[in-house]
Amino acid sequence: MKNFDFHNPTHILFGKGRIADLNEHVPADAKVLIIYGGGSAERTGVLDQVRAALTGRTLVEFGGIEPNPHYTTTLNAIQVINDNDITFLLAVGGGSVIDATKFIAAAALYDGDPWEILTSGGSNIKAAMPFGTVLTLPATGSEMNSGAVITDPDKVAKLAFRSPYCYPLFSVLDPEITYTLPARQVANGVVDSFVHIVEQYLTYPSAAYVQDGFAESMLRTLIKLGPKALETPEDYDIRANLMWIATLALNGLIGAGVPQDWASHMIGHEITALNNTDHARTLAVVLPSLMNDQREHKHDKLLQYASNVWGINEGSDDVRIDAAIMATRAFFEKLGIKTRLSDYDIGAPEIERIITDLKAHGMTALGERHDISPTDVRRILEASL
């Protein structure tokens, strides 16, 4: 196991009715900017619950955060902060809203061009406004980590950053408010969580037995409960487990002391930037092909994955690895998520654009060994057509 530091300061408020507890965690004298996405938070009554919990505080609202939050939209939010002397931010939404809020919190105090935050990966962030979250869509884990991704469609760029200043002070996780989510978003959340876990697990053995055990347990639970969440959307225990897994998948716990491979995410970001394909669906396309392409490097962990996650123990090494990859693809398809680039109107010409954009964004040495080159990515994507 590698040396590691682990510190996560986010206070989790989990369970039924916890939105009411916002009153205890947002300063009484705060001028609060409530940041949200489309109209679902209003239609489902979540915003009304938030407003009721924050009675007595000055509230300003900023809606319209996109599913892949746009850079220009976040700049508009910063102007609202300045115009209204806002002192506290509250994200009400899924990963995109929370990601946008993290960027807004940092950029509002940044002395310079906010775009530099993205091009530096967040290394130049020195402070951020205080903020909390009310999670409405479990998927990204952004509610309990310090990272975010922002998109600029004009630049065809989707860039990630992280900073220790960008942890939420608290996050409210009430599984009941996920009951009304569209099936598409539930499926996306399951796949996003699944791939987050895989990219911290499916690398090479590092004698991190505890982290591996956590990862395998969560993967098995997603496989078991993901389809059931679509069949019985108001099963509290299913939704509670999926919500908590999504948070644990990317809060730093299972990634502590282990090698990590985020190649599927980096490639997927470029696909989303290209044609706005749902983030989780890009992962469902890339991951199976990447697993197969990198089977030699990932050989030992692929066999462990086959056995401990899928119960595949019969046959030669290659047979078991093939079966595990096929099972992964079949799981995504069972959730209603297509796993081929052609399903998203991407062909050979678009692959060249993706490769060009990866190079432009410095993504030329991906994977746990930093040895997945643009040539390798082209081969992986061609196998995904």
Side-chain angles (χ1 to χ4, degrees), residues 52 116 275:
E116 295 170 354
N275 70 357

Side-chain angles (χ1 to χ4, degrees), residues 138 161 219 224 247 251 343:
F161 74 94
L219 291 171
K224 177 181 178 180
T247 300
N251 73 347
D343 295 317

Side-chain angles (χ1 to χ4, degrees), residues 216-230:
E216 291 162 357
S217 175
M218 289 193 288
L219 291 171
R220 290 193 301 269
T221 304
L222 288 172
I223 292 165
K224 177 181 178 180
L225 298 185
K228 292 182 179 179
L230 301 176

Side-chain angles (χ1 to χ4, degrees), residues 125-380:
I125 296 174
K126 304 302 179 186
M129 292 184 65
F131 70 96
T133 89
V134 175
L135 180 67
T136 62
L137 172 57
T140 71
S142 192
E143 66 276 4
M144 199 180 181
N145 65 42
S146 63
V149 184
I150 300 296
T151 298
D152 188 333
D154 295 334
K155 293 184 172 69
V156 193
K158 184 173 181 179
L159 301 180
F161 74 94
R162 65 176 55 252
S163 167
Y165 296 100
C166 291
Y167 281 100
L169 295 180
F170 62 82
S171 287
V172 176
L173 278 61
D174 181 346
E176 287 188 320
I177 66 176
T178 72
Y179 288 173
T180 58
L181 287 172
R184 180 187 185 97
Q185 292 184 341
V186 174
N188 282 351
V190 171
V191 170
D192 200 9
S193 302
F194 190 95
V195 181
H196 284 160
I197 298 166
V198 166
E199 294 212 283
Q200 297 167 89
Y201 164 79
L202 197 59
T203 56
Y204 54 82
S206 58
Y209 308 122
V210 173
Q211 292 91 320
D212 279 2
F214 283 158
E216 291 162 357
S217 175
M218 289 193 288
L219 291 171
R220 290 193 301 269
T221 304
L222 288 172
I223 292 165
K224 177 181 178 180
L225 298 185
K228 292 182 179 179
L230 301 176
E231 297 165 3
T232 55
E234 295 190 11
D235 186 311
Y236 180 83
D237 289 332
I238 289 175
R239 290 304 176 101
N241 278 277
L242 293 182
M243 183 171 251
W244 189 224
I245 286 174
T247 300
L248 291 172
L250 204 58
N251 73 347
L253 184 63
I254 65 169
V258 302
Q260 301 183 23
D261 170 16
W262 293 100
S264 293
H265 269 73
M266 297 305 102
I267 299 167
H269 286 170
E270 300 299 347
I271 298 173
T272 296
L274 179 68
N275 70 357
N276 211 36
T277 297
D278 294 2
H279 170 62
R281 290 163 194 259
T282 71
L283 302 178
V285 168
V286 175
L287 180 65
S289 294
L290 186 143
M291 292 164 70
N292 185 57
D293 188 86
Q294 297 293 304
R295 62 193 297 148
E296 181 178 346
H297 292 317
K298 298 179 182 290
H299 177 272
D300 292 346
K301 288 303 283 282
L302 276 167
L303 291 176
Q304 182 178 329
Y305 171 70
S307 178
N308 294 353
V309 175
W310 293 105
I312 299 169
N313 296 296
E314 300 296 328
S316 67
D317 288 4
D318 281 341
V319 166
R320 283 178 281 157
I321 290 172
D322 286 342
I325 295 171
M326 287 189 290
T328 304
R329 188 184 296 277
F331 172 58
F332 297 158
E333 296 275 354
K334 185 176 182 180
L335 293 169
I337 294 183
K338 299 298 184 181
T339 59
R340 295 292 180 183
L341 286 173
S342 56
D343 295 317
Y344 304 99
D345 298 321
I346 293 177
E350 288 75 25
I351 288 177
E352 291 309 313
R353 177 59 188 272
I354 293 167
I355 300 300
T356 298
D357 291 341
L358 278 171
K359 292 178 180 177
H361 299 141
M363 303 295 174
T364 58
L366 302 175
E368 64 269 29
R369 293 181 172 87
H370 308 292
D371 59 355
I372 298 179
S373 70
T375 299
D376 299 319
V377 173
R378 179 182 291 104
R379 187 175 62 247
I380 290 166

Side-chain angles (χ1 to χ4, degrees), residues 18-33:
R18 298 307 300 274
I19 291 177
D21 293 340
L22 287 172
N23 184 54
E24 301 174 15
H25 293 272
V26 176
D29 60 350
K31 294 183 177 180
V32 183
L33 181 64

